[in-house]
Amino acid sequence: MSTSTLTAPKLSIGPIALDVPVVLAPMAGITNTAFRRLCREFGAGLYVSEMITSRALVERTPETMRLITHHPSETPRSIQLYGVDPATMATAARILVDEDHTDHIDMNFGCPVPKVTRKGGGAALPWKLDLFREIVESVVDAAGDIPVTVKMRKGIDTDHLTYLEAARAAEGAGVKAIALHARTAADFYSGHADWSAIATLKETITSIPVLGNGDIWSGEDALRMVDETGCDGVVVGRGCLGRPWLFGDLAAAFRVRSGELTADEAVGLRAAPSLGDVARTLRRHTELLAEFFGDEDRACRDIRKHVAWYLKGYPVGHEVRAGLSTVKTLEAMDEILATLDWSAPYPGADAEGPRGRAGSPKNPSLPDRWLESRSLADASVRADIAEAELHHSGG
Ligand SMILES: Cc1cc2nc3c(=O)[nH]c(=O)nc-3n(C[C@H](O)[C@H](O)[C@H](O)COP(=O)(O)O)c2cc1C
């Protein structure tokens, strides 16, 4: 390959320069400091916190103060904020910046959960372009030199797309990158992400990076998304569940693209963990969770949701899986893990591919008359929308 055909793999988000254009997607209940540290050990890029609600941060609830804490090895630090009120979001951003909690703030406008959209929050919010703009402007302003980005879906449903106008408004407000999960709220997590929307966004937004998100399960998928859409970087969520080593594959794929590695070198680096490697990583993940929660019992309860993802495709019987799903101490976990055949090799395709949330399309729940106007000023919902922050569980 001649150097002239190489595409630059680096990604800059404001002052943050990343070696590879890879972002760990914020995932509520998953991307805490424990999981981020684990992923970072395998790869490079930006690792976003799980979502923090602005009200909980302003109220400084102990859980939220724990969630915004980073380990010293985590640099650059990245926190995702969610909120529906410009003033509260600005106060939350000021806390993060003035008290030096982060190097980057991402804003979440993509939640499809009916409890949230029914009140006008999540993926329903950008429909009210005036409110969206007000929130983004207030956070960019409050964040000062700290770069702010937004993450959104395509819109409410195919008849009510919001992403292009919202992205233009966010670009105008001074955000430093825009990430698109190429599904609508109605799509939920069903079907395939519509990567053509990422291409359209990339054509529309020219002054800042566009990051593509949705259905990247491998390094090859990541390069294919870049090739098909022209996006400047990729955001990877479910693909890394139970596979933190995916970040090594993603980094290697982009380093081949940039000429830093040969294809043969990348094949040599490609993760093919034996069952023993998986057992060690599951154990380490639990240890990091115990450090994060300061509570071994809570760590053992939290790791349960990861067990099936880690063991996907490996020859592990039902009893062991059930035992790990009820384990209460690291010592008990060690006893169960010791019964596995640690030499069992990587099962290949059976351990790869889709995992995590899926499901079928849903009719989005919205406040009464929400779709009648693109302006919140025209609707009678101002009072209700505050409740859209209460039951939020991610994206
Ligand atoms: C368990 C889970 C929690 C999530 N929580 C958040 C969140 O807090 N904030 C957000 O912007 N998106 C959230 N998402 C959406 C992901 O960031 C991502 O946009 C989505 O999973 C699509 O990317 P993927 O196909 O790589 O998984 C969540 C997704 C999952 C599966």
Side-chain angles (χ1 to χ4, degrees), residues 322-354:
L324 288 172
S325 298
T326 53
V327 78
K328 291 190 171 59
T329 63
L330 281 165
E331 202 184 336
M333 174 178 276
D334 287 340
E335 280 170 24
I336 298 174
L337 293 178
T339 67
L340 295 174
D341 173 8
W342 283 40
S343 66
Y346 185 59
D350 287 347
E352 299 169 4

Short mmCIF file of all heavy atoms in Angstrom, two decimals, residues 322-354:
data_model
loop_
_atom_site.label_atom_id
_atom_site.label_comp_id
_atom_site.label_asym_id
_atom_site.label_seq_id
_atom_site.Cartn_x
_atom_site.Cartn_y
_atom_site.Cartn_z
N ALA A 322 -24.21 -21.24 36.40
CA ALA A 322 -25.16 -20.91 37.46
C ALA A 322 -24.41 -20.56 38.75
O ALA A 322 -24.78 -19.62 39.46
CB ALA A 322 -26.11 -22.09 37.69
N GLY A 323 -23.34 -21.31 39.04
CA GLY A 323 -22.55 -21.04 40.25
C GLY A 323 -21.95 -19.64 40.21
O GLY A 323 -22.01 -18.90 41.20
N LEU A 324 -21.41 -19.26 39.06
CA LEU A 324 -20.80 -17.92 38.94
C LEU A 324 -21.87 -16.84 39.03
O LEU A 324 -21.59 -15.72 39.46
CB LEU A 324 -20.04 -17.80 37.62
CG LEU A 324 -18.73 -18.58 37.54
CD1 LEU A 324 -18.17 -18.55 36.12
CD2 LEU A 324 -17.68 -18.02 38.52
N SER A 325 -23.07 -17.18 38.65
CA SER A 325 -24.14 -16.18 38.66
C SER A 325 -24.74 -15.99 40.05
O SER A 325 -25.62 -15.15 40.23
CB SER A 325 -25.25 -16.58 37.68
OG SER A 325 -24.70 -16.61 36.40
N THR A 326 -24.27 -16.78 41.01
CA THR A 326 -24.77 -16.57 42.38
C THR A 326 -23.60 -16.41 43.36
O THR A 326 -23.81 -16.42 44.57
CB THR A 326 -25.62 -17.78 42.84
OG1 THR A 326 -24.85 -18.96 42.64
CG2 THR A 326 -26.92 -17.88 42.07
N VAL A 327 -22.41 -16.24 42.81
CA VAL A 327 -21.21 -16.22 43.65
C VAL A 327 -21.21 -15.00 44.59
O VAL A 327 -21.70 -13.93 44.22
CB VAL A 327 -19.97 -16.26 42.73
CG1 VAL A 327 -19.67 -14.92 42.12
CG2 VAL A 327 -18.77 -16.82 43.44
N LYS A 328 -20.67 -15.20 45.80
CA LYS A 328 -20.73 -14.10 46.78
C LYS A 328 -19.37 -13.58 47.22
O LYS A 328 -19.26 -12.49 47.77
CB LYS A 328 -21.50 -14.56 48.02
CG LYS A 328 -22.98 -14.79 47.76
CD LYS A 328 -23.73 -15.00 49.06
CE LYS A 328 -25.23 -15.01 48.87
NZ LYS A 328 -25.71 -16.04 47.94
N THR A 329 -18.32 -14.38 46.99
CA THR A 329 -16.97 -13.93 47.38
C THR A 329 -15.97 -14.28 46.28
O THR A 329 -16.20 -15.20 45.48
CB THR A 329 -16.50 -14.64 48.68
OG1 THR A 329 -16.41 -16.05 48.40
CG2 THR A 329 -17.44 -14.40 49.85
N LEU A 330 -14.85 -13.58 46.29
CA LEU A 330 -13.78 -13.87 45.32
C LEU A 330 -13.24 -15.28 45.55
O LEU A 330 -12.88 -15.98 44.60
CB LEU A 330 -12.66 -12.84 45.46
CG LEU A 330 -12.95 -11.48 44.79
CD1 LEU A 330 -11.98 -10.42 45.29
CD2 LEU A 330 -12.87 -11.60 43.27
N GLU A 331 -13.20 -15.67 46.82
CA GLU A 331 -12.69 -17.00 47.14
C GLU A 331 -13.58 -18.08 46.51
O GLU A 331 -13.10 -19.03 45.88
CB GLU A 331 -12.64 -17.16 48.66
CG GLU A 331 -11.70 -18.22 49.13
CD GLU A 331 -11.78 -18.37 50.65
OE1 GLU A 331 -12.20 -17.43 51.34
OE2 GLU A 331 -11.46 -19.48 51.12
N ALA A 332 -14.90 -17.89 46.64
CA ALA A 332 -15.83 -18.85 46.04
C ALA A 332 -15.70 -18.83 44.52
O ALA A 332 -15.78 -19.87 43.86
CB ALA A 332 -17.26 -18.51 46.47
N MET A 333 -15.48 -17.64 43.98
CA MET A 333 -15.29 -17.54 42.53
C MET A 333 -14.06 -18.34 42.10
O MET A 333 -14.09 -19.09 41.10
CB MET A 333 -15.14 -16.07 42.12
CG MET A 333 -14.80 -15.89 40.66
SD MET A 333 -14.68 -14.15 40.19
CE MET A 333 -16.38 -13.80 39.89
N ASP A 334 -12.98 -18.21 42.85
CA ASP A 334 -11.74 -18.94 42.52
C ASP A 334 -12.00 -20.45 42.50
O ASP A 334 -11.49 -21.16 41.63
CB ASP A 334 -10.64 -18.62 43.54
CG ASP A 334 -10.10 -17.22 43.33
OD1 ASP A 334 -10.28 -16.68 42.23
OD2 ASP A 334 -9.50 -16.68 44.28
N GLU A 335 -12.77 -20.90 43.47
CA GLU A 335 -13.04 -22.35 43.54
C GLU A 335 -13.79 -22.81 42.29
O GLU A 335 -13.49 -23.85 41.73
CB GLU A 335 -13.86 -22.67 44.80
CG GLU A 335 -13.00 -22.76 46.05
CD GLU A 335 -13.83 -22.84 47.33
OE1 GLU A 335 -15.00 -23.27 47.25
OE2 GLU A 335 -13.29 -22.44 48.38
N ILE A 336 -14.75 -22.01 41.87
CA ILE A 336 -15.52 -22.40 40.68
C ILE A 336 -14.64 -22.32 39.43
O ILE A 336 -14.62 -23.23 38.60
CB ILE A 336 -16.77 -21.51 40.52
CG1 ILE A 336 -17.69 -21.67 41.72
CG2 ILE A 336 -17.51 -21.84 39.23
CD1 ILE A 336 -18.88 -20.72 41.72
N LEU A 337 -13.88 -21.23 39.31
CA LEU A 337 -13.04 -21.05 38.12
C LEU A 337 -12.00 -22.17 38.01
O LEU A 337 -11.63 -22.59 36.91
CB LEU A 337 -12.35 -19.67 38.13
CG LEU A 337 -13.29 -18.47 37.98
CD1 LEU A 337 -12.51 -17.16 38.06
CD2 LEU A 337 -14.07 -18.52 36.65
N ALA A 338 -11.55 -22.67 39.18
CA ALA A 338 -10.53 -23.73 39.17
C ALA A 338 -11.06 -25.03 38.56
O ALA A 338 -10.28 -25.88 38.12
CB ALA A 338 -10.04 -23.98 40.60
N THR A 339 -12.37 -25.19 38.52
CA THR A 339 -12.93 -26.42 37.95
C THR A 339 -12.98 -26.38 36.42
O THR A 339 -13.32 -27.37 35.78
CB THR A 339 -14.37 -26.69 38.47
OG1 THR A 339 -15.23 -25.66 37.94
CG2 THR A 339 -14.44 -26.67 39.99
N LEU A 340 -12.69 -25.21 35.83
CA LEU A 340 -12.75 -25.09 34.36
C LEU A 340 -11.52 -25.70 33.72
O LEU A 340 -10.47 -25.80 34.35
CB LEU A 340 -12.83 -23.61 33.97
CG LEU A 340 -14.08 -22.84 34.40
CD1 LEU A 340 -13.92 -21.36 34.06
CD2 LEU A 340 -15.30 -23.42 33.71
N ASP A 341 -11.62 -26.04 32.45
CA ASP A 341 -10.46 -26.48 31.68
C ASP A 341 -9.77 -25.24 31.12
O ASP A 341 -10.14 -24.73 30.06
CB ASP A 341 -10.93 -27.40 30.54
CG ASP A 341 -9.78 -27.73 29.60
OD1 ASP A 341 -8.61 -27.38 29.94
OD2 ASP A 341 -10.04 -28.33 28.55
N TRP A 342 -8.76 -24.76 31.85
CA TRP A 342 -8.12 -23.49 31.47
C TRP A 342 -7.42 -23.57 30.13
O TRP A 342 -7.10 -22.54 29.53
CB TRP A 342 -7.14 -23.04 32.58
CG TRP A 342 -7.86 -22.45 33.76
CD1 TRP A 342 -9.02 -22.90 34.31
CD2 TRP A 342 -7.49 -21.27 34.49
NE1 TRP A 342 -9.41 -22.09 35.36
CE2 TRP A 342 -8.47 -21.08 35.50
CE3 TRP A 342 -6.43 -20.37 34.44
CZ2 TRP A 342 -8.42 -20.03 36.41
CZ3 TRP A 342 -6.37 -19.32 35.34
CH2 TRP A 342 -7.36 -19.15 36.32
N SER A 343 -7.12 -24.79 29.67
CA SER A 343 -6.42 -24.90 28.39
C SER A 343 -7.38 -24.89 27.20
O SER A 343 -6.94 -24.90 26.05
CB SER A 343 -5.57 -26.17 28.36
OG SER A 343 -6.45 -27.29 28.39
N ALA A 344 -8.68 -24.86 27.47
CA ALA A 344 -9.63 -24.88 26.35
C ALA A 344 -9.35 -23.67 25.45
O ALA A 344 -9.29 -22.54 25.93
CB ALA A 344 -11.06 -24.83 26.88
N PRO A 345 -9.15 -23.92 24.13
CA PRO A 345 -8.72 -22.82 23.25
C PRO A 345 -9.85 -21.86 22.90
O PRO A 345 -11.03 -22.16 23.16
CB PRO A 345 -8.24 -23.56 22.00
CG PRO A 345 -9.04 -24.81 21.98
CD PRO A 345 -9.30 -25.19 23.42
N TYR A 346 -9.47 -20.78 22.30
CA TYR A 346 -10.45 -19.79 21.83
C TYR A 346 -11.40 -20.45 20.84
O TYR A 346 -10.96 -21.07 19.87
CB TYR A 346 -9.69 -18.65 21.14
CG TYR A 346 -10.55 -17.50 20.72
CD1 TYR A 346 -11.32 -16.80 21.64
CD2 TYR A 346 -10.60 -17.09 19.38
CE1 TYR A 346 -12.11 -15.73 21.25
CE2 TYR A 346 -11.40 -16.01 18.98
CZ TYR A 346 -12.14 -15.34 19.92
OH TYR A 346 -12.93 -14.29 19.54
N PRO A 347 -12.71 -20.32 21.05
CA PRO A 347 -13.65 -21.01 20.16
C PRO A 347 -13.93 -20.28 18.85
O PRO A 347 -14.73 -20.75 18.04
CB PRO A 347 -14.93 -21.09 21.00
CG PRO A 347 -14.80 -20.04 22.04
CD PRO A 347 -13.35 -19.70 22.20
N GLY A 348 -13.29 -19.13 18.62
CA GLY A 348 -13.50 -18.43 17.35
C GLY A 348 -14.86 -17.76 17.29
O GLY A 348 -15.32 -17.17 18.27
N ALA A 349 -15.52 -17.93 16.14
CA ALA A 349 -16.76 -17.18 15.85
C ALA A 349 -17.81 -17.34 16.96
O ALA A 349 -18.59 -16.41 17.22
CB ALA A 349 -17.34 -17.63 14.52
N ASP A 350 -17.83 -18.50 17.64
CA ASP A 350 -18.85 -18.71 18.67
C ASP A 350 -18.71 -17.72 19.83
O ASP A 350 -19.66 -17.47 20.57
CB ASP A 350 -18.76 -20.14 19.24
CG ASP A 350 -19.27 -21.16 18.24
OD1 ASP A 350 -19.91 -20.74 17.25
OD2 ASP A 350 -19.02 -22.36 18.45
N ALA A 351 -17.49 -17.20 20.01
CA ALA A 351 -17.26 -16.26 21.12
C ALA A 351 -17.43 -14.81 20.66
O ALA A 351 -17.30 -13.89 21.45
CB ALA A 351 -15.86 -16.45 21.69
N GLU A 352 -17.71 -14.62 19.38
CA GLU A 352 -17.74 -13.26 18.82
C GLU A 352 -19.18 -12.85 18.52
O GLU A 352 -20.12 -13.54 18.91
CB GLU A 352 -16.87 -13.22 17.56
CG GLU A 352 -15.41 -13.56 17.89
CD GLU A 352 -14.54 -13.80 16.66
OE1 GLU A 352 -15.03 -13.63 15.53
OE2 GLU A 352 -13.36 -14.19 16.85
N GLY A 353 -19.34 -11.73 17.83
CA GLY A 353 -20.65 -11.33 17.34
C GLY A 353 -21.55 -10.71 18.38
O GLY A 353 -21.14 -10.42 19.50
N PRO A 354 -22.83 -10.51 18.00
CA PRO A 354 -23.77 -9.76 18.83
C PRO A 354 -23.93 -10.31 20.24
O PRO A 354 -23.89 -11.52 20.45
CB PRO A 354 -25.08 -9.86 18.05
CG PRO A 354 -24.65 -10.03 16.63
CD PRO A 354 -23.40 -10.84 16.69
#
